[in-house]
Amino acid sequence: MVVILKENPNQAQLDSLISWLQDKGIAIHETVGVHQTILGLVGDTSSIDIDLLTALDIVEDVRRIQEPYKKANRKFHPDNTVVKVGDVEIGGGELTLIAGPCSIETEEQICSIAKSVRKSGAKILRGGAFKPRTSPYSFQGLRDEGLRLMEIAKEETGLPIVTEIMDASQLPLFENVDMIQVGARNMQNFELLKVLGKVDKPILLKRGLSATYEELLMSAEYIMSGGNENIVLCERGIRTFETYTRNTLDISAIPVLKKLTHLPIVIDPSHSAGKSALVPPLSCAAVAAGADGLIIEVHNDPAHAWCDGPQSIKPEVFDSLSKKLTVIFDTCKSEAVK
Ligand code: PEP
Ligand code: MN
């Protein structure tokens, strides 16, 4: 339930309303806007008489909301959330490009890719140290050594870094990581999400392979309910009957999630497509549809990449794509303003 207050509500009346609700076991999520304050009521609101609330002097309107996610819900928080990763903003009105290899391989590899993507406009470096592979016989990532190499690339380029965590026990190793990625396979690892709710770092939460929008938002809610509200959602392709592509990029996720939530949305065209040739057109479509950013796999030698080479684009392709995306983003942004 959402209670929309009148402008400049009487503080004594507001305090008494809040304590009356709290006595009923309801938690209050207060959002103070420029003109209006909104109270999000979290808990069992079934016993609350809407007419009684609406009749109060300080109340403008009361709405029941059906969605089970509260903190991630745009109804509670009408303004867009801007997530800061180091000094970089996601959702702040600029397109944020995140780029780098699927996996960290060697110091030379991660540093050279980091330098080239930074030159081409990437603001955050990606790279996996813990890799969730379908086969136990595939390369599993360099683990702590990978994180060490990633930190060297961060020092050399100044780019903040994002990398995937697979288990809460790995958290001590993530001290110098700027943004923690929860992979598609872990989107519903609720124990991990609860731990990340207590962490003071932004989270890149990827949509599960067959997860609905509501399931994705409920996973965000797990993290947010623990206190960490710095979450960026990532659509990375979902399972469909189509087998030509690795997954099917769900472009609808962008406008739908923009409507349902205030959290920023980033698109991963690489894991959606599974094929490098599809990455530029999918990236363009995502930016035109309103994505706040993209996370793209870039490799200097895709044919010999240790993981996901077929979907990795070369640095020179990323460079020309980045220029094109800036034009699309600026065009679509100015159209949205009109
Ligand atoms: C990745 O980003 O390296 C990755 C494994 O992605 P996903 O979890 O979306 O498959
Ligand atoms: Mn990958």
Side-chain angles (χ1 to χ4, degrees), residues 41 60 160 258:
L41 277 48
E60 170 96 31
K258 284 272 162 209

Side-chain angles (χ1 to χ4, degrees), residues 10-235:
N10 175 287
Q11 194 59 44
Q13 288 182 27
L14 177 56
D15 291 345
S16 107
L17 171 62
I18 289 177
S19 60
W20 179 72
L21 290 166
Q22 284 171 338
D23 286 348
K24 289 182 167 293
I26 289 165
I28 312 286
H29 181 82
E30 189 172 347
T31 307
V32 182
V34 184
H35 297 296
Q36 240 161 359
T37 296
I38 294 173
L39 302 181
L41 277 48
V42 184
D44 181 10
T45 55
S46 53
S47 67
I48 297 201
D49 184 340
I50 287 198
D51 295 333
L52 198 82
L53 276 186
T54 315
L56 295 176
D57 274 353
I58 56 168
V59 173
E60 170 96 31
D61 197 10
V62 180
R63 288 184 211 153
R64 272 210 188 275
I65 60 163
Q66 305 303 324
E67 297 88 356
Y69 49 90
K70 312 283 179 195
K71 288 178 177 286
N73 200 318
R74 199 182 269 285
K75 285 182 191 158
F76 274 13
H77 190 299
D79 296 333
N80 289 330
T81 285
V82 178
V83 172
K84 278 197 89 174
V85 182
D87 289 334
V88 177
E89 287 186 345
I90 305 181
E94 295 296 323
L95 179 69
T96 308
L97 295 182
I98 307 170
C102 178
S103 310
I104 302 148
E105 298 170 7
T106 62
E107 181 176 332
E108 198 198 350
Q109 174 247 17
I110 188 69
C111 289
S112 98
I113 296 172
K115 283 177 195 157
S116 55
V117 297
R118 186 192 56 177
K119 238 187 344 194
S120 302
K123 293 286 186 280
I124 302 173
L125 176 67
R126 67 146 287 147
F130 296 96
K131 296 303 306 174
R133 304 304 300 277
T134 303
S135 165
Y137 308 115
S138 301
F139 171 58
Q140 303 285 307
L142 292 181
R143 304 176 72 85
D144 42 353
E145 170 65 1
L147 290 180
R148 194 182 68 78
L149 301 181
M150 193 73 168
E151 286 172 26
I152 294 174
K154 170 178 165 171
E155 266 170 40
E156 285 205 4
T157 58
L159 289 175
I161 54 177
V162 57
T163 191
E164 179 168 352
I165 193 165
M166 285 177 59
D167 189 86
S169 63
Q170 295 156 356
L171 202 52
L173 297 168
F174 280 62
E175 206 182 317
N176 296 321
V177 168
D178 300 283
M179 182 180 220
I180 302 177
Q181 176 175 323
V182 175
R185 291 154 193 83
N186 264 321
M187 188 203 86
Q188 286 188 316
N189 181 341
F190 300 119
E191 291 303 316
L192 176 61
L193 301 181
K194 282 185 210 169
V195 171
L196 296 177
K198 302 289 174 209
V199 167
D200 186 21
K201 284 183 191 290
I203 307 294
L204 181 69
L205 178 63
K206 298 189 99 177
R207 182 181 182 184
L209 278 68
S210 306
T212 62
Y213 301 138
E214 187 165 299
E215 286 164 342
L216 172 61
L217 291 172
M218 287 309 285
S219 291
E221 193 77 12
Y222 259 96
I223 304 171
M224 296 175 91
S225 63
N228 184 357
E229 303 202 352
N230 290 311
I231 298 172
V232 174
L233 303 172
C234 178
E235 156 63 31

Side-chain angles (χ1 to χ4, degrees), residues 244-246 268-284 296-299 301-303 305 308-318 320-321:
Y244 185 88
T245 48
R246 182 173 177 181
D268 175 346
S270 312
H271 292 89
S272 301
K275 290 176 161 72
S276 60
L278 299 182
V279 170
L282 295 186
S283 301
C284 293
I296 300 178
E297 287 188 342
V298 177
H299 200 285
D301 184 9
D308 285 349
Q311 67 195 33
S312 300
I313 57 173
K314 290 188 172 169
E316 55 271 29
V317 176
F318 179 73
S320 58
L321 175 60

